[in-house]
Amino acid sequence: MKSSFRWYGDSDPVKLEQIRQIPGMRSIVSAVYDVKPGEVWPEESIKHLVDECAANGLVFDVVESIPVTEEIKLGKPERDLHIEHYCENIRRCAKYGIKCITYNFMPVFDWTRTQLDKAAEDGSTSLVMYWDQLKGLDPLKDDIHLPGWDSSYTQEEVRDLIRAYGELGEEGLWANIEYFLKRVIPVAEECGVVMALHPDDPPYPIFGLPRVITCEENLDRYLSIVDSPANSLCLCTGSLGCSPKNDIPKMVRKYSAMGRIGFMHIRNVKILPDTSFEESGHLTQDGSLDMNAIVKALVDTGFTGYFRPDHGRMIWDEVGSDAKPGYGLYDRALGTAYINGLIEANGGNLD
C-alpha cells in the first residue's frame, strides 16, 4: 500500500518538510486550486507541484480533485467543452506522473456539515452533521450558509441549481454520469490513470438534491457503466460509514478484491441515534467503524493502491485560521501512524 497525505500547495500551513517526517509517508495528494472548474490546468502549475514534492523526497502522483462542473452534472450545453477540458487535464496530469485522479458527482455541494468546531470532552474539535440544526431550513426560501457549500455561488444561484437538480432527478443524474464516464474513462485508460470516484458526503439526500453514490447497490451500478479498472472508487470510509446501512469492511473487501479501489480515505465517524454524526479520532473505540477490519480487508485482498488519513480532529491548539478544519498536521499524522500499525499487524507492507 502507498501512504499519502493531502497538501493544499504552497499556501498550506502544513509544510512538505513536516509531512515527509511522518513514518512511511510516500505520496502527496494535491491539485491546481487557482483554476476555475471546467478550465484547463497549466502544465507549469502541475510541474511546480511535482518539483516541490520531489525536492522534499515525496511523490506527487494523486490528484484530488479535478472538479466535475455543474454543467456536466446537469447536462447543460457547455458540458461537451468542459468534458474536453477535463480529458485534457487527465492527459496533462499523466504527462507529469499522476497515477490516480479523485473526483465526485455530488450536486452543488461537495460535502455538508452543520458545524466545523464541535468541542469534545478532551478539548479537541471536529466536524459534525446534526439533523436538528437543519430542521426548518429551506434553501429555496432562506439564506443558508453551511460548511462545505461553495461560497462562490450567490443564494439565488444556489436556488437555481437546487431547482435544476430537482427537475433532473436521480435517473437524469445517472444519465449524465454515464455520458461523462463513456467519454472520460477511455482517455484515462490510454494515459494509465485510475479515476477514483468519491462517494456522496453524507450518503443521503440533503434538501431534496439527488445523491446517488451512497450505497453498495449504487456503487455496483456506477462501476458497471464502464467495466474497466480505470473506472474505480475512492472509497471514503467516513463518508459511506456515516450511514448505518453500509457495512464498510464488507464493501472494502468486495471492491478491493475486484481491483476497483484506486484510493482509500481512511477515517472513523461516530453515528448518533438519529443518524446525525460526528467525525472522530481514527481509533476504532472512538467511532462506529471497525478500523482494524477495514485495514485487514485491504491486506487480505492484496490492495496496492493509495490510502490517506482523512480529515479528523483539530488538536494541540492547531485551530482557527491556521489550518483548514480537519486538515491539521497533528491528528492526521497520528492517524497515519495508527493505520501503519494496523497494516503491519495484519501482515501488510508499505510501498
Side-chain angles (χ1 to χ4, degrees), residues 230-262:
N231 182 29
S232 191
L233 301 174
C234 170
L235 201 154
C236 178
T237 64
S239 295
L240 290 169
C242 63
S243 170
K245 297 179 180 179
N246 289 328
D247 184 335
I248 302 305
K250 175 188 173 185
M251 295 169 74
V252 170
R253 186 172 293 274
K254 171 181 175 176
Y255 295 116
S256 179
M258 291 169 59
R260 301 298 285 275
I261 298 178

Side-chain angles (χ1 to χ4, degrees), residues 104-148:
N104 70 72
F105 236 86
M106 288 181 251
V108 191
F109 318 116
D110 275 5
W111 50 276
T112 299
R113 300 290 187 272
T114 56
Q115 190 175 344
L116 299 179
D117 57 355
K118 174 66 176 179
E121 290 183 5
D122 63 5
S124 64
T125 63
S126 64
L127 291 74
V128 301
M129 221 288 287
Y130 294 148
W131 283 115
D132 61 2
Q133 293 178 337
L134 290 179
K135 286 180 180 177
L137 296 180
D138 183 349
L140 296 180
K141 298 178 181 178
D142 305 321
D143 285 348
I144 299 175
H145 301 277
L146 288 173

